[in-house]
Amino acid sequence: MNLRALRALARGMLDDTIEPYRTATKTLDGHINAALNEVAVRAPGLFEDSITPAICHLSVTAGQAVYALDRRVRQITAARLDGRDISLAPGGAVRHERNFLVFDSAPRRDGELRLTVTRYPLEPLEMDIDEPEIPLELHQPILHWACALVLRTPDVEIEDLARAAVHEGQFAAVFGDRPTASQIASQNRRRPLTVRYGGL
């Protein structure tokens, strides 16, 4: 389902199908993109990536310990350095800090790092023909979050907190609850991610 179809469906859910619309098209499109970002947080497996070069491929330089990650990366789930499995864990040789990958000890030689990550969408939906990356059967459920955002707009003609809560519940029923910061940290600690690359 493309952005034009998603927008039309959302307007139907909001009873906002007659021009002039209560919610501007640009605003509604922004909320649809926000919904996809929310999916990336709640159901990260839907945005797992190991093939996009700009995100998953890093050139390692001898003597350099810190490497910037693409801003769309949320978590690193697996990694290989020169074909050898590596991982990140507390006390390991490599750690993921915010938007950086940090070696405790700078590599002694150049190499190629291949990552498997969970991330945010590669590109926002902007053109009418743009489609979400997630499976087709999940396109309609994302609109519950977009509708909830619209219905929380502090405008006497739009705001409806009760309806917003219903849409939020329907979104959570499909994609789960939003994890807390402590839950995310706990997941990172449990994930067997410490570099087992001999010869750093």
Side-chain angles (χ1 to χ4, degrees):
M1 195 179 303
N2 61 31
L3 177 58
R4 182 177 183 178
L6 289 168
R7 189 190 304 127
L9 187 56
R11 290 203 182 282
M13 295 165 68
L14 292 164
D15 300 318
D16 187 18
T17 59
I18 300 174
E19 296 187 70
Y21 301 123
R22 293 189 300 274
T23 300
T25 294
K26 183 177 181 179
T27 299
L28 184 55
D29 289 356
H31 290 332
I32 292 171
N33 281 298
L36 287 167
N37 287 337
E38 188 68 18
V39 170
V41 173
R42 298 188 186 215
L46 291 172
F47 287 96
E48 188 169 72
D49 190 351
S50 61
I51 62 173
T52 304
I55 292 177
C56 303
H57 298 177
L58 290 174
S59 294
V60 173
T61 302
Q64 180 178 334
V66 181
Y67 297 85
L69 295 171
D70 189 279
R71 60 180 177 77
R72 292 164 291 190
V73 172
R74 292 198 67 252
Q75 293 178 319
I76 300 172
T77 59
R80 293 175 67 83
L81 182 59
D82 290 338
R84 303 181 186 183
D85 289 338
I86 65 173
S87 57
L88 293 138
V94 174
R95 61 189 184 276
H96 179 192
E97 292 186 356
R98 296 184 181 272
N99 293 327
F100 295 93
L101 186 74
V102 182
F103 286 84
D104 284 347
S105 178
R108 295 198 297 266
R109 62 176 182 268
D110 295 348
E112 295 297 323
L113 190 62
R114 297 292 184 263
L115 306 175
T116 299
V117 305
T118 59
R119 57 165 173 76
Y120 290 105
L122 288 174
E123 299 291 343
L125 306 182
E126 296 178 338
M127 305 291 290
D128 280 354
I129 60 173
D130 290 346
E131 298 185 8
E133 300 175 54
I134 62 177
L136 179 62
E137 63 270 21
L138 298 177
H139 288 191
Q140 182 172 347
I142 68 172
L143 297 178
H144 288 298
W145 191 256
C147 288
L149 293 176
V150 169
L151 293 168
R152 290 192 177 278
T153 302
D155 183 297
V156 67
E157 294 185 356
I158 299 175
E159 187 176 48
D160 188 331
L161 300 184
R163 285 180 65 198
V166 170
H167 281 294
E168 288 166 352
Q170 291 172 316
F171 183 84
V174 176
F175 298 108
D177 294 325
R178 175 177 257 266
T180 64
S182 61
Q183 287 172 332
I184 293 173
S186 177
Q187 290 169 0
N188 288 340
R189 286 194 296 269
R190 290 197 303 270
R191 183 172 288 118
L193 280 172
T194 300
V195 168
R196 297 190 301 274
Y197 169 62
L200 286 176

